[in-house]
Amino acid sequence: MKLLLDSTRCQAYGLCQEPAADLIDIDEWGYAQPIRSIVPEGSEEAAAEAVAVCPNSALRLVK
C-alpha cells in the first residue's frame, strides 16, 4: 500500500501528522511531506486515518 500526497491540495493544516507521525512529516511552513510512500505493515490504520482527517483530500492510499 502506498501513501500519496497531492502537494497542490495541501493547505498546511497539519492534521494528518497526528495519527501518522511515523509516515508524515510537517515542513517549516506546515505542509505535509510523506516520510515514506510505502506504508509499512502495521501502519495501515494510521495511514487511513491520516487520509480521512485531511480536509482537502490531499492524501490518498493506493494498493
Side-chain angles (χ1 to χ4, degrees), residues 28-39:
E28 62 209 58
W29 298 284
Y31 290 95
Q33 294 190 337
I35 295 170
R36 60 186 81 183
S37 60
I38 303 295
V39 178

Side-chain angles (χ1 to χ4, degrees), residues 2-63:
K2 289 185 178 185
L3 179 65
L4 303 177
L5 171 71
D6 179 348
S7 60
T8 64
R9 297 182 71 113
C10 182
Q11 295 294 308
Y13 291 107
L15 300 173
C16 59
Q17 190 195 29
E18 190 172 318
D22 62 327
L23 300 174
I24 300 169
D25 195 17
I26 301 295
D27 72 13
E28 62 209 58
W29 298 284
Y31 290 95
Q33 294 190 337
I35 295 170
R36 60 186 81 183
S37 60
I38 303 295
V39 178
E41 198 169 311
S43 295
E44 296 90 348
E45 189 174 316
E49 190 171 336
V51 169
V53 298
C54 181
N56 292 344
S57 300
L59 291 168
R60 66 186 173 110
L61 287 172
V62 294
K63 293 185 180 193

